[in-house]
Amino acid sequence: MKKKEEQKRRPFFTVFNLVTGILCFAAFLVIGIAGYYMSTGVFVSARLAGIYAVLALIGGAAMLLRLYRFALFYYIGCGLGWGVSWFISGLNGEFAPTAGSICAIFCIAVFGLFGLIAQWKAIQKRRARRKEEKARAEAEAEEARLQAEREAEEARKQAELDAARKERENAEAALSASAEPPAEEEKTPAPAGTGEKKL
């Protein structure tokens, strides 16, 4: 029973996952906007705030859906992308800001892909473990059923042996009772003076 209770799946959406997703979403926005302001001295534009909101929404949804491996790689990619973008955008040249954005998108995409691969492998491993646990539980149930059948068969054979032994004992008792000779009647002596005297 305990194993069956442990094997019950947790609900897909929980309050903890919802709160975690919202906190990750808010933290991503705050860190992104604050980091941009600290690095450039200018508040983000509406376009950049929208991009940050979309990126934060992806990470929050990953935490909500319990895709923790993907979320880890995704956040690493976002951090590296922001650092690379900040470094390249600070270089001289008209193409530097565009190159920085391209590098940031590339880092996020590559690490997001790594996260998807890691999450897929984790899902496959979890499914294989569940199948193995299910097969083990079925094997244990089958073994318990066979054991119960063996015990029932042994109990039936023992009952048959006991019944046969009892019948044999009854038959032996009946044979021994019929083989005993009937008890001879004791001869009682004739009383004195009643016999006839021979002349």
Side-chain angles (χ1 to χ4, degrees):
M1 289 296 291
K2 290 182 179 179
K3 287 185 178 181
K4 289 183 179 179
E5 290 176 359
E6 290 175 0
Q7 288 177 355
K8 286 182 180 178
R9 293 183 181 180
R10 295 176 298 174
F12 196 71
F13 293 104
T14 60
V15 176
F16 175 76
N17 292 336
L18 180 61
V19 171
T20 304
I22 292 172
L23 288 177
C24 289
F25 174 80
F28 190 96
L29 277 180
V30 170
I31 292 171
I33 293 172
Y36 183 83
Y37 180 78
M38 291 174 65
S39 62
T40 61
V42 180
F43 196 72
V44 294
S45 63
R47 175 177 165 273
L48 193 57
I51 293 173
Y52 282 172
V54 171
L55 294 175
L57 186 62
I58 294 172
M63 295 301 291
L64 176 64
L65 300 176
R66 299 200 307 260
L67 304 176
Y68 300 124
R69 293 174 191 249
F70 169 76
L72 175 65
F73 280 95
Y74 175 76
Y75 285 131
I76 291 173
C78 287
L80 288 177
W82 182 84
V84 170
S85 175
W86 176 77
F87 176 75
I88 294 177
S89 297
L91 299 176
N92 294 328
E94 295 180 359
F95 188 66
T98 305
S101 299
I102 292 171
C103 290
I105 292 170
F106 178 76
C107 285
I108 294 170
V110 168
F111 276 87
L113 181 62
F114 289 161
L116 284 175
I117 293 171
Q119 191 66 48
W120 177 253
K121 287 184 177 180
I123 290 172
Q124 293 296 324
K125 192 178 294 184
R126 193 180 307 125
R127 286 181 180 173
R129 188 170 60 249
R130 284 178 182 168
K131 286 182 180 178
E132 183 179 349
E133 290 174 356
K134 184 178 180 181
R136 190 183 303 118
E138 290 177 355
E140 289 176 357
E142 182 67 17
E143 182 64 25
R145 186 182 66 80
L146 292 175
Q147 182 68 22
E149 288 181 358
R150 282 195 295 268
E151 291 176 356
E153 183 67 18
E154 289 177 2
R156 187 182 64 79
K157 287 181 179 179
Q158 187 65 31
E160 289 178 356
L161 288 174
D162 292 341
R165 186 170 58 249
K166 187 176 284 187
E167 288 178 2
R168 188 175 64 248
E169 289 175 356
N170 293 338
E172 288 176 357
L175 284 175
S176 62
S178 63
E180 289 180 0
E184 294 181 357
E185 296 180 357
E186 296 181 358
K187 295 182 179 179
T188 55
T194 56
E196 295 180 357
K197 292 182 180 180
K198 293 182 180 180
L199 295 175

